[in-house]
Every structure is written in C-alpha cells, then in structure tokens.
Amino acid sequence: MSMKKDIKVLVVDDEEIMRSLFTDILQDEGYSVTTLTNGMEAQERVKVEFFDIAFIDVHMPVMDGIKTLHVLKELSPKTAIAMTDSMPGDIIEESQKKGALTCIRKPFDIKEVRSVISDITQRSKDG
C-alpha cells in the first residue's frame, strides 16, 4: 500500500495547460491533486483544507506567486511549497527567503517534478 495516496498536492497556476500537465503527472504518480487558478482561490482553500505540497506559479493575475507563497506560509506553515516560473533565476532567492523550497523552471521536466516531490516526502518522513 503506497503512502502516496495520503499526499495532497495543490497546484496554483493561471494557465490551463500547466494545470493539466501537473494533474496528469501527479495523478499518474498516485497523488491527490487540486488545481486552482490564482492566489486568492488558494488563500481561501488552504483555510479549509490541508495540502502537503503546493506548486505555485510566480506570474499570476489577482495575486502573484510570491504574495501567494507568503500568505500560504502564514495560513499553512506545514505545507511544502515549490514555485514554478519560466525564468526562475531572478526570483529563486526571493521565494526561498519567503519559505519556498525551490523553483521549478517551466516548461518543466517531469523528472524534476518527481524529484522535488520525493525530496519533500522524504523530508516529512524524516521529521
């Protein structure tokens, strides 16, 4: 029986193609996936539901990724957060200062997404 089923992943991205890509990858791996289109939706959702991992796009309308990261860290400090961006160079440092674990470059490599998730799940097992 795999532990994966217990892991809930939140994907926040305004681009439908990115949401469906993430969903396909993550559901194939056996995770439970929720996708939202912006930071305001994420802010409301994490008040009522816990997610183990969140992938947050940096560039979104309504509330950008850095602000979303900040809000999620306050509302749900135990959620592990990875940012996604097509040009992550500039914001990796800023997002990590605010508590993100990493920033994945778009278009992303499935292997990279998998390895980020396994790092996170390992880390939580190790306490």
Side-chain angles (χ1 to χ4, degrees), residues 68-123:
T68 305
L69 163 65
H70 189 71
V71 167
L72 260 53
K73 274 291 165 200
E74 285 188 356
L75 293 171
S76 185
K78 283 194 160 8
T79 300
I81 298 176
M83 306 304 289
T84 62
D85 188 28
S86 48
M87 303 278 293
D90 306 340
I91 61 97
I92 286 180
E93 217 172 301
E94 187 185 353
S95 60
Q96 284 176 335
K97 277 191 197 118
K98 289 204 160 70
L101 297 172
T102 186
C103 186
I104 297 174
R105 188 190 181 93
K106 293 165 145 184
F108 50 72
D109 183 339
I110 292 177
K111 289 196 290 288
E112 188 176 4
V113 173
R114 284 198 187 115
S115 83
V116 165
I117 292 177
S118 65
D119 285 356
I120 290 170
T121 50
Q122 243 347 99
R123 190 173 309 182

Side-chain angles (χ1 to χ4, degrees), residues 33-52:
V33 188
T34 299
T35 62
L36 299 172
T37 60
N38 66 59
M40 289 302 279
E41 290 177 7
Q43 178 177 349
E44 292 313 302
R45 192 63 179 263
V46 299
K47 289 176 183 170
V48 296
E49 189 177 352
F50 175 74
F51 296 94
D52 299 278

